[in-house]
Amino acid sequence: MGQLLRTVQKVKKQINPNLNVEGILLTLVDGRTNLSKETKIALQENYGSVIKIFDAKIPIAVKVAESTKVGQSIFSYDKNNRVTNSDESRAFLNKTEPKYKKRCNF
């Protein structure tokens, strides 16, 4: 995570001064596991004062991995998936990028 934030700062300084990171969106979350819970806690403790950790989480699903493999967003790849239909995913998209819904043909 630290390396990612340093890379973003370098890009901002050298290439794109308008680059901004809105925050961290947890993906591949399996709420049944301690790992998912511990990961969110660790991110909040270590980076929460530096960058926003979104409350929304994208649950783990095979379709997400498949969509990544073919280079599409999950919203374009499978509109009827449990991830795309989750209230958290839709709320996150509405808050962060309303135009995204149009591009993904919701």
Side-chain angles (χ1 to χ4, degrees), residues 76-95:
S76 298
Y77 183 75
D78 183 0
K79 296 176 191 167
N80 297 314
N81 175 295
R82 73 184 180 107
V83 172
T84 56
N85 289 323
S86 75
D87 291 339
E88 287 186 323
S89 294
R90 290 184 179 273
F92 177 78
L93 286 177
N94 285 333
K95 285 182 186 176

Side-chain angles (χ1 to χ4, degrees), residues 2 6 16 24 37 41 50 54 66 77 80 83 86 89 96:
R6 284 189 294 279
N16 183 357
I24 298 170
K37 296 169 191 166
I41 290 168
V50 178
F54 292 109
E66 290 174 359
Y77 183 75
N80 297 314
V83 172
S86 75
S89 294
T96 57

Side-chain angles (χ1 to χ4, degrees), residues 41-50:
I41 290 168
L43 284 169
Q44 288 172 325
E45 288 175 356
N46 293 305
Y47 299 101
S49 63
V50 178

